[in-house]
């Protein structure tokens, strides 16, 4: 399958970052090992196979001198393409004070498109990304229901951080909650598919959980400038399928099994 590799492997995230129906695997690693993006190249090979594309899409080399932990795919600007957060924190003592671990800054990778890859934009995304911490966990949720995905970061030897997204809802969005009657109570494993503007996006409830963290169980989709999702489909673990046509943007929708 091409996904065998011997590195630190602290954090993991699963996401269909190309919107092509094939989920990729992102892994954070130990210092000098580079973080890894196992891209699913099944559309090309015809069989299940993964290739590390981190260096090709602008992620690998930049992460070489960092120890990565919590991570996650999420569309922070609601443009319909998954972006990526990486929380870093050393496990070595600091040079100035051996009683504490050396702090590091976190990364925010914005995806331009699958061809051009990702760009690190943390340095222009607010004070929290300029700060140095010993980062560990990262959980993702739209905690205030304003349509922009937020992040909660757990730091070792320091206070946690709640990063409020103050610009993501400038573009349209849709959030989907699932309510099960036959499947498991939390809806874990339910697949949510949204079609809008000729693009099909896919999420799986509970399919992404960062290092020592648990995300909110609601699927978030950026719709860019589209005013509706032409089709919303939920495939429940029981096999039941529920489809809704022409769902208006900028709202939270609950789909019941």
């Amino acid at each position: 399958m091409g996904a065998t590799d011997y590195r630190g492997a602290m954090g993991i995230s699963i996401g269909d970052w190309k919107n092509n129906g094939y989920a990729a695997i992102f892994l954070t690693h130990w210092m000098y090992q580079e973080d890894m993006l196992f891209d699913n190249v099944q559309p090309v090979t015809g069989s299940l196979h993964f290739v590390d594309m981190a260096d090709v899409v602008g992620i690998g080399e930049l992460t070489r001198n960092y120890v990565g932990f919590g991570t996650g795919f999420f569309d922070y600007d609601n443009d319909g393409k998954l972006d990526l957060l990486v929380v870093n924190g050393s496990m070595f003592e600091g040079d100035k004070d051996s009683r504490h671990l050396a702090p590091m800054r976190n990364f925010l990778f914005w995806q331009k498109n699958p061809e051009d890859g990702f760009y690190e934009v943390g340095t222009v995304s607010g004070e929290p990304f300029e700060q140095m911490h010993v980062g560990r966990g990262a959980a993702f949720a739209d905690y205030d229901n304003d349509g922009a995905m937020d992040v909660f970061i757990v730091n070792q030897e320091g206070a946690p951080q709640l990063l409020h997204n103050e610009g993501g809802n400038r573009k349209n969005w849709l959030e989907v909650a699932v309510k099960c009657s036959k499947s498991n109570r939390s809806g874990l494993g339910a697949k949510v598919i949204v079609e809008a503007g000729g693009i099909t996006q896919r999420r799986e409830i509970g399919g992404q959980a960062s290092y020592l963290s648990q995300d909110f169980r609601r699927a978030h989709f950026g719709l860019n400038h589209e005013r509706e999702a032409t089709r919303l489909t939920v495939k429940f673990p029981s096999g039941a399928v529920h489809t809704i046509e022409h769902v208006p943007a900028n709202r939270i929708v609950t789909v019941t099994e």
Side-chain angles (χ1 to χ4, degrees):
M1 289 171 48
T4 301
D5 192 275
Y6 298 94
R7 303 192 203 180
M10 270 78 80
I12 185 170
S13 181
I14 310 294
D16 179 12
W17 70 283
K18 289 183 175 179
N19 288 331
N20 65 355
Y22 296 89
I25 305 170
F26 181 77
L27 294 167
T28 58
H29 288 302
W30 185 256
M31 187 177 290
Y32 308 129
Q33 295 180 344
E34 295 189 3
D35 294 345
M36 177 186 300
L37 178 62
F38 278 132
D39 194 33
N40 190 333
V41 294
Q42 186 171 347
V44 177
T45 63
S47 59
L48 183 60
H49 192 78
F50 292 90
V51 174
D52 182 12
M53 298 288 290
D55 278 328
V56 177
V57 299
I59 298 175
E61 181 65 27
L62 184 60
T63 63
R64 177 181 292 272
N65 295 324
Y66 292 79
V67 181
F69 281 91
T71 187
F73 284 108
F74 73 128
D75 186 359
Y76 77 84
D77 60 349
N78 284 341
D79 67 350
K81 299 184 292 292
L82 286 176
D83 309 301
L84 189 63
L85 177 83
V86 177
V87 172
N88 298 306
S90 180
M91 297 184 71
F92 296 108
E93 299 173 348
D95 293 334
K96 297 181 179 179
D97 188 346
S98 62
R99 297 173 299 175
H100 301 283
L101 300 179
M104 295 179 168
R105 76 176 187 90
N106 300 325
F107 293 134
L108 180 62
F109 290 101
W110 171 74
Q111 184 194 163
K112 182 178 181 181
N113 54 53
E115 293 74 30
D116 294 317
F118 294 83
Y119 293 82
E120 207 289 307
V121 296
T123 54
V124 295
S125 298
E127 183 180 353
F129 289 97
E130 299 174 3
Q131 298 172 357
M132 307 278 279
H133 296 279
V134 183
R136 291 294 183 260
F140 300 80
D142 176 12
Y143 78 90
D144 55 352
N145 298 327
D146 68 349
M149 287 295 286
D150 311 298
V151 185
F152 184 82
I153 296 176
V154 176
N155 297 310
Q156 185 171 338
E157 300 183 352
Q161 297 170 279
L162 179 59
L163 275 58
H164 181 255
N165 186 340
E166 299 184 350
N169 56 10
R170 295 172 185 169
K171 295 181 180 178
N172 296 326
W173 55 275
L174 184 69
E175 292 184 7
V176 182
V178 300
K179 185 176 181 180
C180 295
S181 57
K182 299 179 181 179
S183 304
N184 63 85
R185 184 167 57 183
S186 299
L188 297 176
K191 295 178 174 60
V192 185
I193 304 169
V194 165
E195 301 171 51
I199 298 174
T200 301
Q201 300 182 59
R202 300 163 180 85
R203 308 282 190 269
E204 182 173 327
I205 303 298
Q208 172 173 284
S210 184
Y211 178 85
L212 295 179
S213 307
Q214 180 61 60
D215 295 341
F216 189 55
R217 291 173 185 150
R218 196 161 71 196
H220 178 95
F221 299 86
L223 300 183
N224 206 0
H225 301 296
E226 301 300 319
R227 297 183 178 180
E228 68 168 21
T230 54
R231 183 179 293 109
L232 163 62
T233 303
V234 178
K235 298 180 179 180
F236 292 92
S238 66
V241 179
H242 194 110
T243 300
I244 307 174
E245 306 280 347
H246 303 292
V247 182
N250 303 326
R251 63 191 59 203
I252 301 169
V253 178
T254 299
V255 181
T256 302
E257 186 177 21

